[in-house]
Amino acid sequence: MTGARRDGAMLKKDGGGQYSKGSRIVASVVAGVIAGFIFAFFYPYGFFVPSLPVNHVISETNSQVIFSSCESSERVNILKAEFVSASERNAELRKQVRRLKEKLRLAEQGKDSAQKRVLVLGEQHKAGPFGTVKGLQTNPTVVPDESVNPTLAKILDQVAVNRELIVALANSNVKEELEIWFTSIKRVGIPNYIVVALDDEIASFCQSNDVPVYNRDNSKGDEDKGIESIAKTGGNHAVSGLKFRFLREFLQLGYSVLLSDVDIVYLQNPFEYLYRDSDVESMTDGHNNLTAYGYNDVFDEPKMGWARYAHTMRMWVYNSGCFYLRPTIPSIELLDRVTARLAHENAWDQAVFNEELFFPSHPGYDGLHASKRTMDYFLFMNSKVLFKTVRKDSKLSQIKPVIVHVNYHPDKLVRMKAVVDYYVNGKQDALTPFPDGSE
């Protein structure tokens, strides 16, 4: 009985074990099916997804096979069209490159100026304490361009000192004044000066007196053929108008120029008294502090009643017979403006010179943005200051000017000789016989 119960128990146990094993298999199958559904739902193309379904690839391959010949022909035509278009674009680009090169060549002389302006203006600055801020005044110089006039470039390389020199224009009409002019320069010991000879006689005269000279070819590059006759036979005012055209080459070559009329007597070296902080540094026609450096002039119009007084700013003009130009863009622009106006207007060069320097921008006109400095009128002295004031004042007569410009008087030669006698030869009464003005 005991053995039978043991066998039955064992059978029951085995039966239960088999039943449990089958259940597990069914559960596994169900779990696998569910997992398959989940996998199929989230990964319909498997873990490694192709770029296109197989049927699509097959379809595309079939299309390529069918249309391969047509597509090759169309592709060739497309490539040809693209090539033609690219060639046209390249031709246009080459034209643009040529235009840009030309603009670059024209702008080359202003490159140094632009670069320095970028350095100065590119970085923003805070304003300093009250009374310490100061705007830009000294413009950078242009890049020297010797191709403008190689002959003149070689001469200036030998004559100039620190790339600056005195320049005077002369023809045979001012031969005697010219002799006093260069004799006074030699006496002072100024080495850097040159005469632009406007005719062969003056060129020979300078060479025979060991004076640096440049015999300009008046026909070179001058559209106005009348310039040659003006240069050879013109009077003071006519010749004076030519200097603005001729000076441009000096500045383009990178030289600072102290333009000098020949009715000037040199008593000291002017280069020791220049500030060189402006584009234009000029002597004045003024004869005292107010007229030379400017003043507030009140205009009275009684019929305006309460507003009868109008304040105006006045200053006597710069003298166009003695001024110092630095080789900057504004200086060259000034020369161009004056030259252009004198070519089309019957005007006095000194008036035009000052109008272009001082007239501000206004509707219809862009003013010149050039920095200016007025020279000390007791050092760079005009003949009105000398004959009207200085010679009559015991203290002022002790001042030794740098130059005396006989610009206010037509009897230039005799007054120039008197200036030499007074300041060089020590003749105290040399200036006495002359009236203040002209007779």
Side-chain angles (χ1 to χ4, degrees):
M1 290 295 292
T2 303
R5 287 193 298 270
R6 186 185 303 118
D7 292 340
M10 291 177 65
L11 286 172
K12 185 178 182 178
K13 182 178 180 180
D14 290 341
Q18 290 175 357
Y19 176 79
S20 177
K21 183 176 180 180
S23 297
R24 288 196 298 271
I25 292 172
V26 170
S28 298
V29 170
V30 171
V33 170
I34 293 172
F37 278 118
I38 295 173
F39 181 82
F41 178 79
F42 288 103
Y43 302 98
Y45 301 112
F47 285 110
F48 304 99
V49 182
S51 58
L52 291 173
V54 175
N55 59 345
H56 180 76
V57 174
I58 294 173
S59 175
E60 186 178 89
T61 303
N62 292 335
S63 299
Q64 290 177 352
V65 171
I66 296 172
F67 299 108
S68 60
S69 59
C70 295
E71 184 179 355
S72 298
S73 177
E74 291 177 359
R75 185 61 178 165
V76 169
N77 293 333
I78 292 172
L79 290 175
K80 287 181 179 179
E82 291 178 350
F83 178 78
V84 172
S85 177
S87 299
E88 292 176 351
R89 288 198 300 270
N90 287 338
E92 181 62 27
L93 287 173
R94 283 194 293 270
K95 292 180 181 179
Q96 293 180 5
V97 168
R98 286 195 295 268
R99 286 196 292 267
L100 288 174
K101 286 183 177 180
E102 179 65 15
K103 290 181 179 180
L104 182 62
R105 185 187 67 80
L106 294 175
E108 186 177 7
Q109 66 180 10
K111 180 177 64 177
D112 184 58
S113 174
Q115 289 175 341
K116 291 184 178 180
R117 284 182 180 275
V118 168
L119 292 176
V120 175
L121 302 176
E123 181 182 355
Q124 292 181 316
H125 301 274
K126 291 183 177 180
F130 178 80
T132 64
V133 296
K134 189 175 183 180
L136 295 175
Q137 182 176 356
T138 306
N139 284 304
T141 58
V142 300
V143 177
D145 183 6
E146 293 189 0
S147 66
V148 171
N149 191 330
T151 301
L152 180 59
K154 292 180 181 179
I155 296 174
L156 298 184
D157 184 58
Q158 298 175 350
V159 174
V161 176
N162 296 325
R163 299 193 72 82
E164 58 184 7
L165 73 165
I166 301 171
V167 178
L169 277 68
N171 61 17
S172 301
N173 291 335
V174 293
K175 186 175 180 180
E176 292 180 295
E177 289 92 337
L178 178 64
E179 184 173 12
I180 297 177
W181 179 85
F182 66 65
T183 301
S184 69
I185 288 178
K186 289 182 177 182
R187 184 186 301 112
V188 175
I190 304 170
N192 48 328
Y193 70 101
I194 192 170
V195 174
V196 178
L198 301 179
D199 57 43
D200 293 335
E201 182 179 350
I202 286 296
S204 300
F205 179 65
C206 290
Q207 292 170 353
S208 63
N209 286 276
D210 196 25
V211 172
V213 63
Y214 169 56
N215 190 3
R216 179 180 173 81
D217 179 2
N218 292 294
S219 62
K220 178 183 178 181
D222 291 328
E223 297 178 0
D224 183 5
K225 299 303 181 181
I227 287 179
E228 184 173 358
S229 62
I230 293 174
K232 292 182 178 180
T233 63
N236 289 336
H237 287 305
V239 171
S240 182
L242 297 178
K243 62 195 173 194
F244 300 97
R245 179 189 292 266
F246 295 165
L247 286 180
R248 192 186 206 277
E249 292 183 351
F250 287 81
L251 269 59
Q252 284 183 279
L253 292 171
Y255 290 89
S256 297
V257 173
L258 178 61
L259 185 278
S260 173
D261 281 354
V262 296
D263 56 346
I264 292 178
V265 176
Y266 285 80
L267 302 170
Q268 298 188 66
N269 190 332
F271 295 108
E272 297 176 3
Y273 295 89
L274 297 174
Y275 285 80
R276 301 174 179 85
D277 63 347
S278 303
D279 299 305
V280 182
E281 197 166 344
S282 178
M283 73 171 293
T284 174
D285 272 0
H287 58 94
N288 54 31
N289 286 346
L290 295 180
T291 57
Y293 308 137
Y295 63 102
N296 182 0
D297 183 37
V298 181
F299 175 78
D300 184 10
E301 191 175 7
K303 67 179 182 180
M304 288 299 297
W306 175 80
R308 64 183 292 179
Y309 300 111
H311 291 257
T312 69
M313 302 306 299
R314 299 192 63 184
M315 186 186 78
W316 288 29
V317 297
Y318 281 176
N319 189 284
S320 63
C322 181
F323 57 83
Y324 179 80
L325 294 180
R326 294 178 58 250
T328 65
I329 293 298
S331 295
I332 295 175
E333 184 182 359
L334 170 64
L335 297 178
D336 289 351
R337 287 182 176 221
V338 176
T339 299
R341 285 188 56 184
L342 292 177
H344 300 93
E345 301 176 18
N346 184 19
W348 182 25
D349 69 280
Q350 180 161 293
V352 175
F353 175 70
N354 280 272
E355 288 171 1
E356 293 299 332
L357 267 177
F358 290 101
F359 280 177
S361 297
H362 56 263
Y365 176 78
D366 291 328
L368 178 71
H369 300 288
S371 56
K372 302 169 285 292
R373 172 179 284 275
T374 305
M375 294 174 172
D376 187 325
Y377 66 91
F378 281 126
L379 296 179
F380 294 84
M381 188 181 298
N382 61 59
S383 56
K384 181 175 183 176
V385 173
L386 175 61
F387 286 97
K388 185 179 178 181
T389 305
V390 170
R391 66 170 177 168
K392 301 175 183 178
D393 189 298
S394 59
K395 292 183 178 179
L396 293 178
S397 61
Q398 300 303 311
I399 298 175
K400 185 178 183 181
V402 176
I403 67 168
V404 173
H405 187 184
V406 187
N407 60 314
Y408 269 102
H409 301 88
D411 50 342
K412 298 180 181 298
L413 185 61
V414 291
R415 293 200 185 228
M416 289 178 72
K417 291 179 179 179
V419 169
V420 173
D421 284 339
Y422 183 78
Y423 284 107
V424 178
N425 301 328
K427 295 183 179 181
Q428 297 301 311
D429 60 346
L431 304 177
T432 304
F434 299 95
D436 290 352
S438 57
E439 294 179 343

